[in-house]
Amino acid sequence: MQITLAQINFDPDDVEGHLARIKDLISQNADSDLIVFPELILHGHPSQIKPEGFLYRQVKCHLADASQQVYDHVKACRARVVLGELTREGDEFSNLATYVDEDGPRSYVKAHVHWTEHFRPGGRLKVFATPLGRLGLNICYDSAFSEVWRVLALEGAGIVVNISAVPAHFPVEYMRRRMQGAAVFNQYHVIYVNRPGPVFAGGSAVYDPHGDELLALGGGEEVVSVDIDQDAAET
């Protein structure tokens, strides 16, 4: 199985161009079994622009149907994608990890909201049945809680994707140890995709169920693919 890590940033100065870039990357990597973008890649992150509502309004002002455009493009390319986006209900905003394939989008709402953020927390961890097997999703600060990883394992996840926007001052090595531990203790693949510098740390990585590091990226923008063995947990 081939996984593509799209370690790229949000460009608030060119929203239309940013959306076009995401769609281009999906087209270019459509043969990959899964393409993974970082946290809030579609609408930006409050570490760059505050408040959260401005991010959402900025994208909506330029591209009212940004999410739907991505969903439709994924379907047209017959691709499978995980990406981060922002949704609004009334005056509250939710931070989503969305899995999209030919059947449309399915989303997980970030449950553990960091104290520097102002999102409405989700109330349920989710594992989705996909053509790749059972896929678990979590977002950034969720990864600090071991029970998140264990619940996803108990729900039958064979792959868990963590999309993040970990800041540049937070040690990359610490995040990698966290992902490595989650993989080996729960016996599944962990795909970690973080936003790159200068504001964020980059350092995206992939771990197999033995805890072996299959791929580790640097701090800048990179789009790289890696092959994983779905049977690794059985050996």
Side-chain angles (χ1 to χ4, degrees):
M1 180 189 300
Q2 185 178 75
I3 309 294
T4 298
L5 282 63
Q7 183 176 278
I8 66 168
N9 259 325
F10 171 80
D11 185 356
D13 297 320
D14 183 9
V15 175
E16 292 92 342
H18 175 67
L19 179 62
R21 184 187 185 195
I22 289 175
K23 291 163 73 174
D24 284 345
L25 287 172
I26 292 168
S27 298
Q28 293 164 16
N29 295 280
D31 289 340
S32 187
D33 292 291
L34 183 66
I35 308 164
V36 184
F37 292 90
E39 179 183 7
L40 291 173
I41 195 59
L42 191 56
H43 297 95
H45 193 281
S47 292
Q48 291 179 296
I49 302 171
K50 293 181 180 287
E52 287 80 355
F54 180 77
L55 290 168
Y56 184 82
R57 288 191 294 274
Q58 180 186 30
V59 175
K60 285 294 185 182
C61 220
H62 292 273
L63 297 162
D65 60 346
S67 293
Q68 191 60 52
Q69 282 195 48
V70 172
Y71 303 160
D72 291 344
H73 188 70
V74 170
K75 184 175 183 178
C77 292
R78 300 175 64 88
R80 303 181 192 96
V81 172
V82 172
L83 80 162
E85 57 182 332
L86 193 68
T87 60
R88 177 179 180 177
E89 291 185 24
D91 293 328
E92 294 187 306
F93 294 85
S94 296
N95 183 342
L96 270 60
T98 299
Y99 167 77
V100 193
D101 62 15
E102 290 182 275
D103 294 326
R106 286 174 278 174
S107 297
Y108 159 73
V109 180
K110 186 176 184 179
H112 297 86
V113 176
H114 196 267
W115 58 87
T116 59
E117 299 173 328
H118 302 284
F119 298 122
R120 182 179 65 178
R124 182 182 175 187
L125 300 172
K126 293 183 179 180
V127 173
F128 301 111
T130 78
L132 310 176
R134 292 185 63 76
L135 176 70
L137 302 177
N138 63 58
I139 303 174
C140 206
Y141 190 47
D142 283 327
S143 68
F145 300 89
S146 59
E147 59 270 26
V148 168
W149 300 100
R150 181 50 54 89
V151 167
L152 296 176
L154 293 172
E155 291 292 326
I159 301 172
V160 175
V161 173
N162 174 280
I163 58 172
S164 286
V166 176
H169 65 263
F170 196 83
V172 171
E173 295 79 9
Y174 188 84
M175 288 301 296
R176 286 181 173 166
R177 284 197 296 270
R178 188 182 285 175
M179 303 299 160
Q180 185 178 37
V184 72
F185 285 122
N186 294 290
Q187 289 292 284
Y188 46 47
H189 283 88
V190 171
I191 316 298
Y192 168 58
V193 180
N194 189 35
R195 299 271 286 275
V199 175
F200 303 100
S204 303
V206 177
Y207 296 92
D208 73 10
H210 302 293
D212 292 330
E213 189 174 78
L214 305 181
L215 178 70
L217 304 187
E221 291 205 346
E222 296 185 66
V223 179
V224 182
S225 297
V226 62
D227 291 325
I228 66 172
D229 179 6
Q230 287 180 281
D231 298 325
E234 305 299 325
T235 59

